[in-house]
Amino acid sequence: MIRGFLSVILIFSFLTTGYSKGQWGDAPDFTLPGLRGENFTLSSLKNKVVILDFWAVGCPPCRKEIPGFIELYSKYKDEGLEIVGVCLDGRGRVKPFAEQKGIDYILVFADREVCRQYGGIRYIPTTFIIDRRGNIAKRHIGYASKETFEEEIKELLSREVE
């Protein structure tokens, strides 16, 4: 009974999306190969609000989030939003999928190290919201709606870099 209760508490803590300012600290920097073969480095997005989404083509909740990300990117990119999709699939699956869905934000291919740096990605989608200072402000494990992400990024986009 106690073991089951502790499991519920542990699962709830992983699913909680709000974290106090600075609890997560700096988002680990990485350089990964992009969809078109170019290298991408996270720190190149200095002073931007970033949605960092770990996902895979074969994941239904991941696919469900993508239209919302496309809309948010279109609406807020001029205000400083960037979206980085960290693909857990191979290039052969992702490129045709991205073209079909019209994904126009940054797509890169994960390696084990970046997954480890972000706490060990065990469930997808796992999405981090990174503020303009490069701190992880929020984390979502599992599907979250466009409206949830929009509420969180609007607050962060309204803040100036200190």
Side-chain angles (χ1 to χ4, degrees):
M1 177 85 169
I2 291 176
R3 188 175 184 175
F5 178 74
L6 290 175
S7 295
V8 169
I9 296 292
L10 182 62
I11 290 169
F12 179 77
S13 70
F14 281 129
L15 295 176
T16 302
T17 60
Y19 295 91
S20 61
K21 182 178 178 182
Q23 180 175 350
W24 284 93
D26 292 342
D29 196 17
F30 58 79
T31 299
L32 293 172
L35 186 62
R36 292 167 189 84
E38 75 291 357
N39 280 338
F40 168 79
T41 302
L42 183 64
S43 60
S44 70
L45 301 180
K46 187 175 182 169
N47 298 326
K48 302 277 188 172
V49 171
V50 178
I51 296 175
L52 182 68
D53 180 49
F54 289 81
W55 70 287
V57 171
C59 164
C62 300
R63 291 193 313 263
K64 186 176 178 183
E65 285 181 334
I66 289 171
F69 288 153
I70 293 169
E71 289 179 39
L72 291 171
Y73 184 64
S74 176
K75 186 173 181 179
Y76 294 103
K77 65 183 173 186
D78 293 337
E79 294 178 41
L81 175 67
E82 289 291 342
I83 299 177
V84 179
V86 182
C87 310
L88 301 176
D89 290 303
R91 187 179 318 271
R93 289 190 76 190
V94 175
K95 189 170 184 177
F97 178 81
E99 289 171 355
Q100 176 191 21
K101 297 297 181 186
I103 298 174
D104 57 350
Y105 51 84
I106 299 164
L107 294 177
V108 298
F109 295 94
D111 62 18
R112 289 178 194 230
E113 180 60 18
V114 78
C115 291
R116 186 197 61 74
Q117 289 175 325
Y118 279 85
I121 304 300
R122 290 180 180 85
Y123 305 102
I124 54 173
T126 294
T127 308
F128 297 88
I129 308 297
I130 302 169
D131 69 17
R132 292 181 188 272
R133 292 183 314 262
N135 291 313
I136 297 173
K138 303 275 183 177
R139 177 182 71 172
H140 297 271
I141 297 176
Y143 173 82
S145 69
K146 179 189 91 168
E147 293 76 20
T148 297
F149 289 119
E150 187 167 27
E151 182 179 313
E152 293 169 359
I153 65 166
K154 280 172 62 174
E155 177 186 338
L156 295 173
L157 288 168
S158 69
R159 296 181 191 166
E160 292 299 319
V161 179
E162 298 169 358

